[in-house]
């Protein structure tokens, strides 16, 4: 038995909320990167795994990349959804 899938039309409010989320995640990624960079550059004098501040700084920099990748995925999925093209395949 086959069922038809019904998609609600995209509203302008959902479009704004996704754009707001994308902007927020971009700012969070850059802030996290800069914070990690500051921690890392501030503690380069003792470069070893024993330097916890250095390791946390590197972790923040890696985390910022993950935030940005997730942000990009959300943006691409939202942009390529069937509703964004305006095509209506319902019969």
């Amino acid at each position: 038995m086959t069922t038809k899938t019904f998609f609600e039309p995209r509203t302008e409010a959902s479009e704004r909320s996704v754009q707001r989320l994308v902007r927020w995640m971009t700012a969070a990624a850059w802030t996290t990167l800069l914070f990690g960079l500051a921690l890392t550059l501030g503690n380069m004098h003792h470069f070893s795994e024993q330097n916890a501040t250095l390791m946390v700084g590197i972790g923040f920099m890696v985390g910022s990349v993950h935030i940005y990748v997730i942000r990009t995925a959300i943006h691409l999925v939202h942009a390529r959804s069937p509703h964004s093209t305006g095509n209506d395949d319902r019969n």
Side-chain angles (χ1 to χ4, degrees), residues 1-52:
M1 183 165 126
T2 307
T3 60
K4 288 188 176 187
T5 305
F6 174 73
F7 292 104
E8 287 187 31
R10 180 180 289 179
T11 63
E12 193 164 320
S14 69
E15 181 76 28
R16 282 191 311 251
S17 66
V18 169
Q19 291 303 320
R20 186 172 36 188
L21 176 66
V22 167
R23 283 193 306 269
W24 184 87
M25 289 185 76
T26 302
W30 279 104
T31 303
T32 306
L33 177 68
L34 292 174
F35 187 68
L37 194 60
L39 284 175
T40 302
L41 292 177
N43 291 297
M44 288 288 279
H45 56 82
H46 180 62
F47 193 81
S48 76
E49 72 275 359
Q50 300 294 320
N51 188 348

Side-chain angles (χ1 to χ4, degrees), residues 74-89:
I74 290 171
H75 182 68
L76 288 175
V77 166
H78 186 72
R80 295 177 189 242
S81 69
H83 303 300
S84 64
T85 60
N87 295 337
D88 191 7
D89 293 335

